[in-house]
């Protein structure tokens, strides 16, 4: 199984002062499902920003899709980003586009035929329970509805890597469960999933998932540890330096 992401002694400092992320080392294997936990302010979003290349580290090595992501020339960033689906913690929907057009965006960028896009978007809107709101602008949707549109946009093009920052933070437990199924379906199709969450119950619901836990910007063993699945333990995250 190939490594899709590798962090070696990565540090991130915003401006001056202490490092927000310190000596972060881990490997993500292609096709696996990872949860990222940690208290508010522990550095989850910061770590994910490094993963989806919106932030460069202050030190250390990051390899993404087998290439050195730290020295990647700017011109190659869009090509890399197209391989990554991102659910931002603050959604970042495009305000002047409808829910349907926001969701369609990655497919349009990929050059898919409009008839196929319409079918895929309709299916996705049904799945997230927003078929009736296809034409709505983001500002007219509730926080949870916006979050669902953001998730649909991130998964619709079946990215190689899905990075989701607290994607169930604004929805009720039943919808959280439904969205988790969506992520699991994508995962079954081969996508590597990295999901930051505060909801440890979700973790128990994905057999074989791996768990990264941050404390004050450092990766530590989760406590309590994840419930067994023997197979998951056997292929546990390779975390150098721990
Ligand atoms: N752009 C930034 N500039 C300066 N400091 C930042 C920036 N982004 C985050 N921080 C700081 O880095 C630390 C980690 O923030 P981060 O957003 O990564 O945490 P988090 O684990 O995602 O928290 P939450 O669960 O609340 O989303 C915090 O102390 C935060 O104030
Ligand atoms: Mg965050």
């Amino acid at each position: 199984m190939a490594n899709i992401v590798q962090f070696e002694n990565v540090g991130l400092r915003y401006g001056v002062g202490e490092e927000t992320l310190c000596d972060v080392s881990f490997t993500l294997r292609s096709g696996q499902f990872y949860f990222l936990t940690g208290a508010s302010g522990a550095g989850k979003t910061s770590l994910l920003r490094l993963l989806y290349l919106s932030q460069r580290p202050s030190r250390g090595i990051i390899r993404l899709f087998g290439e050195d992501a730290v020295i990647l020339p700017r011109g190659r960033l869009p090509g890399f980003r197209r391989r990554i689906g991102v659910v931002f913690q603050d959604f970042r929907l495009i305000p002047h586009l409808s829910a349907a057009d926001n969701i369609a965006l990655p497919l349009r960028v990929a050059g898919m035929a409009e008839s196929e896009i319409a079918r895929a978007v309709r299916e996705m809107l049904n799945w997230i329970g927003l078929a009736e709101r296809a034409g709505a602008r983001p500002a007219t949707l509730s926080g949870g509805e916006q979050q669902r549109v953001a998730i649909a946009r991130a998964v619709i093009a079946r990215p190689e890597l899905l990075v989701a920052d607290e994607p169930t933070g604004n929805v009720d437990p039943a919808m959280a469960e439904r969205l988790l199924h969506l992520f699991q379906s994508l995962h079954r199709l081969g996508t590597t999933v990295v999901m930051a969450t505060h909801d440890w119950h979700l973790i128990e619901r994905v057999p074989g998932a791996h768990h990264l836990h941050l404390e004050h910007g450092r990766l530590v063993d989760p406590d309590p540890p994840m419930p067994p699945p023997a197979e998951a333990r056997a292929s546990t995250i390779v975390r150098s330096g721990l």
Side-chain angles (χ1 to χ4, degrees), residues 101-187:
D101 283 336
N102 266 284
I103 295 170
L105 215 56
L107 300 180
R108 296 218 160 96
V109 169
M112 189 185 266
E114 280 300 321
S115 56
E116 276 183 68
I117 292 177
R119 189 192 47 75
V121 170
R122 212 167 28 244
E123 198 177 301
M124 191 58 79
L125 280 162
N126 279 329
W127 181 266
I128 61 172
L130 288 178
E132 311 292 308
R133 307 303 311 276
R137 298 268 169 98
T140 68
L141 298 173
S142 76
E145 289 169 341
Q146 290 181 43
Q147 187 159 43
R148 284 183 264 163
V149 172
I151 290 170
R153 179 182 63 180
V155 304
I156 197 160
R158 295 187 189 171
E160 281 170 67
L161 174 63
L162 177 74
V163 178
D165 199 349
E166 299 192 32
T168 58
N170 294 268
V171 297
D172 60 58
M175 183 49 75
E177 184 88 357
R178 195 169 168 79
L179 293 173
L180 190 65
H181 279 297
L182 185 62
F183 292 125
Q184 285 180 288
S185 313
L186 191 69
H187 173 238

Side-chain angles (χ1 to χ4, degrees), residues 75-92:
R76 293 198 55 211
L77 279 177
F80 263 64
R81 291 212 178 105
R82 273 197 288 279
R83 300 167 72 178
I84 309 173
V86 184
V87 184
F88 299 96
Q89 193 167 7
D90 54 359
F91 318 142
R92 302 207 200 156

Side-chain angles (χ1 to χ4, degrees), residues 14 20 39-46 49 89 166 198:
Y14 294 110
T20 291
S40 183
K44 301 180 297 299
T45 296
S46 301
R49 276 188 201 130
Q89 193 167 7
E166 299 192 32
H198 284 288

